Amino acid sequence: MSAAVVLLAAGSGTRVGAGVNKVLLPVAGAPVLVHALRTALAVDGVDHLVVVVRPGDEAEVADAVGPLLLDHEGREVRVTVGGATRHASERAALRALEAEVDDGRVDVVALHDAARPLAAPALYDAVLAAAREHGGAVPAYPLTGLVRRHGGPVPGTGRGTRTVAVQTPQAFRAGVLLAAHRWAEETGFTGTDTASCVAAWAARPEHGGPEHGGAEVGIVAVPSDATNLKVTWPGDVRVAEHLIRP
Ligand code: CTP
Ligand code: MG
C-alpha cells in the first residue's frame, strides 16, 4: 500500500495577474510549483505523483520540474492536463491514478494546490495518517479577527469563532475519493475543494455507513497555520518569498 500525491497546477492565476500561470512564477529562486513538487517528493511512502497542468503550460512545466525528476528514487511522476475547474482538474488526476486505486496499490491520496509552496512534509504525514484512520483529513486553523461578508450584515457579537481556514493538502482513502468523484460526474456535482466533494457524496444516505468499507467517512481537521499560504494575490508572492528564503 502506498500513497499518491496530486499537485493541482491547472489554474491560470488571474488574481495574481502576472501574465503567466502563478504556479510558474519564480519565488525564492524556483517556480512556485517546483517548491510544491520538491516537498511532495520528500514525503515518505509516496510512490505515485500526478502534476495536473493547464493546456498550453506543458512545455514550461516540463522545463521547470525536469531537473527534480532526475533523482526521485523510483517514484513515478506523471503529468496530465487539467480541466476548466479545480474539480475537473481533480477528476483528471484521478483518471491518471484509477488503475492503481482500483487494484489497491494506492490506498490514500493527498491533493494539494501547487499554488501553496510552503506545505511541509510533516503536514502531508499528518493528513495521510488521519485519512487512513478516519477516511479524510484537511489542514485547518482558526480564523481570528472579525470575519464578514463584504457588504453583508455584521455578524453577532459572540467572541471566539468556530470559523476555520481550510487548506491543502487534503487526503482521503483512495476508494472513497474515487467513488465520490465518480458520483459527482454522474450527478453533475462540482466541489470547491476536494473535501466538499467527498462530504457531499458521504452525506447521501446510500453512501454512509458500513456498506462502504465498514466505516463512515469522517473528514477530520489537522492543525495547520497561516504560513501554508496559497499564492492568490500579488502580495502573496512577496510573503512567500520572505517565508521560503532562509
Ligand atoms: N486549479 C486547477 N485547475 C483549475 C483551477 C485551479 O488545477 N481549473 C488549481 C490552481 O492551479 C491552484 C489551485 O487549484 O494551484 C487553487 O486554485 P486557485 O488559487 O483559485 O488558482 P487559480 O484558479 O489559478 O487562480 P485564480 O482563481 O486567481 O485564477
Ligand atoms: Mg481559481
Side-chain angles (χ1 to χ4, degrees):
M1 291 291 197
S2 70
V5 169
V6 170
L7 292 179
L8 296 157
S12 44
T14 47
R15 285 170 288 178
V16 169
V20 292
N21 187 349
K22 64 190 179 184
V23 298
L24 292 166
L25 280 180
V27 170
V32 171
L33 167 64
V34 167
H35 292 288
L37 180 57
R38 194 180 283 141
T39 303
L41 285 166
V43 180
D44 283 337
V46 174
D47 289 336
H48 305 273
L49 296 97
V50 180
V51 182
V52 191
V53 303
R54 181 173 63 155
D57 282 349
E58 296 96 328
E60 217 173 324
V61 167
D63 283 350
V65 305
L68 282 185
L69 304 186
L70 297 175
D71 176 28
H72 54 91
E73 294 169 359
R75 290 166 191 214
E76 188 182 33
V77 182
R78 278 176 241 177
V79 176
T80 194
V81 171
T85 61
R86 188 185 181 285
H87 179 91
S89 295
E90 290 178 7
R91 186 70 188 98
L94 293 179
R95 257 184 225 110
L97 287 169
E98 221 144 20
E100 286 82 358
V101 173
D102 281 336
D103 71 15
R105 267 176 291 162
V106 166
D107 70 328
V108 277
V109 182
L111 299 100
H112 184 56
D113 295 332
R116 294 184 189 272
L118 281 139
L123 187 60
Y124 278 94
D125 293 343
V127 291
L128 289 168
R132 283 192 168 105
E133 186 175 350
H134 301 282
V138 299
Y141 68 96
L143 285 172
T144 51
L146 179 64
V147 177
R148 73 171 175 229
R149 196 180 283 274
H150 179 70
V154 177
T157 54
R159 269 168 294 149
T161 170
R162 290 173 59 80
T163 306
V164 295
V166 174
Q167 306 171 327
T168 68
Q170 301 186 351
F172 304 89
R173 282 189 203 128
V176 161
L177 178 64
L178 196 50
H181 259 282
R182 284 173 175 159
W183 165 82
E185 196 162 42
E186 278 164 31
T187 59
F189 177 88
T190 297
T192 46
D193 66 353
T194 320
S196 65
C197 179
V198 173
W201 171 84
R204 303 290 310 156
E206 65 272 26
H207 299 146
E211 64 272 29
H212 278 273
E216 290 186 22
V217 183
I219 301 178
V220 299
V222 162
S224 185
D225 63 44
T227 59
N228 178 24
L229 67 82
K230 178 161 69 70
V231 173
T232 304
W233 302 102
D236 298 326
V237 181
R238 294 195 294 278
V239 177
E241 181 87 31
H242 283 291
L243 290 170
I244 294 171
R245 279 212 193 275

